[in-house]
Amino acid sequence: MIRVAVSGCAGRMGQAVVDAVNAADDMELVCGIDPFANGESLYPVYDEIAQALEAEDFDVMVDFTQPDVVEGNIRAALPAGVDCVIGTTGLSNETLQELAGLAPEGTCLFVAPNFTVGAVLMMRFAELAAPYLDEAEVIEFHHARKKDAPSGTAKRTAEIIASARGGQPQVPGRESELPGCEGARGAEVDGVPVHSVRSMGYVASQEVIFGSMGQSLTIRHDSWDRTSYMPGVLLAVRKVPAESGLIVGLEHFMF
């Protein structure tokens, strides 16, 4: 039985994780961690990770909090030998590497830019297309409450495309932006333009648009409900006890 703590348990994603863990036959929800949790709960809830570590014994911490909170949670959990499954985006690669150094042997820091199987497949398909259609742009659409831009999925997708294509196409870049309209070509992530849309009309969607002479290819993924993330979260919770160090991306457990 894998003993799980859910950090951010009062949030929308956190509540979905709580329900998924409770429904899993091989997992036990030990506690939640969230200073914004109100009212009575069927499981213990603590304001801070330090309180949870002192009072409870758990194997894995799942974190869906905020970019300014998750780093502190990891810094407390990893040295205690607790595997971390992180769905909160916004930490730099350098920070992740530094945090992974806190993990004792046999403890894993797992970070997924996206936990949906469809999004991981979208990134894999983009990687396959990049060497053949190297003109590429990423457009991501998220709900208006999302705290970071671009999304972790979009950033990771751009990094994968840049690595796979082996060169930068000659397309109009920032030099083509009109005065006063800086940013029109999007943010550049390893030379790939990334555009972020924020609207209450979305949960999470992304398009990867490839082009070359006389043709284009669009790869799109849509998440309509947060339950779409849960199979990936549970897969990560089941896999991390056998891993060690830093792992980024659900593809490492899928393929």
Side-chain angles (χ1 to χ4, degrees), residues 39-231:
E40 295 185 2
S41 175
L42 297 177
Y43 54 93
V45 179
Y46 300 93
D47 287 347
E48 299 178 351
I49 180 67
Q51 297 172 342
L53 288 168
E54 183 176 351
E56 307 287 350
D57 180 23
F58 46 92
D59 307 307
V60 179
M61 178 189 72
V62 179
D63 188 292
F64 281 92
T65 56
Q66 303 292 341
D68 60 345
V69 174
V70 62
E71 182 177 345
N73 290 344
I74 296 171
R75 287 189 183 279
L78 279 182
V82 175
D83 296 310
C84 295
V85 172
I86 307 300
T88 307
T89 57
L91 295 177
S92 68
N93 292 333
E94 293 76 13
T95 299
L96 291 175
Q97 291 287 351
E98 189 260 323
L99 290 171
L102 303 175
E105 184 67 28
T107 303
C108 181
L109 171 57
F110 174 77
V111 182
N114 199 306
F115 279 95
T116 59
V117 170
V120 175
L121 291 172
M122 171 189 61
M123 288 186 277
R124 174 56 65 93
F125 298 154
E127 182 179 19
L128 293 173
Y132 303 99
L133 303 162
D134 65 353
E135 295 175 5
E137 308 215 6
V138 178
I139 309 174
E140 54 99 348
F141 310 78
H142 277 81
H143 56 89
R145 295 191 182 94
K146 185 167 177 58
K147 300 296 185 182
D148 56 331
S151 69
T153 303
K155 185 174 182 293
R156 178 65 175 157
T157 303
E159 292 169 347
I160 289 172
I161 291 170
S163 176
R165 72 185 180 185
Q168 196 164 324
Q170 299 300 312
V171 296
R174 295 194 181 280
E175 75 282 353
S176 65
E177 295 173 347
L178 295 175
C181 299
E182 290 77 12
R185 290 291 293 123
E188 275 196 15
V189 179
D190 290 352
V192 178
V194 178
H195 312 266
S196 297
V197 177
R198 295 291 177 266
S199 170
M200 291 302 293
Y202 295 99
V203 175
S205 299
Q206 180 171 295
E207 289 185 2
V208 185
I209 303 172
F210 289 98
S212 70
M213 185 68 68
Q215 64 178 323
S216 66
L217 170 67
T218 299
I219 306 169
R220 181 180 175 103
H221 175 258
D222 298 284
S223 290
W224 301 114
D225 192 276
R226 289 173 178 84
T227 55
S228 64
Y229 293 80
M230 295 308 110

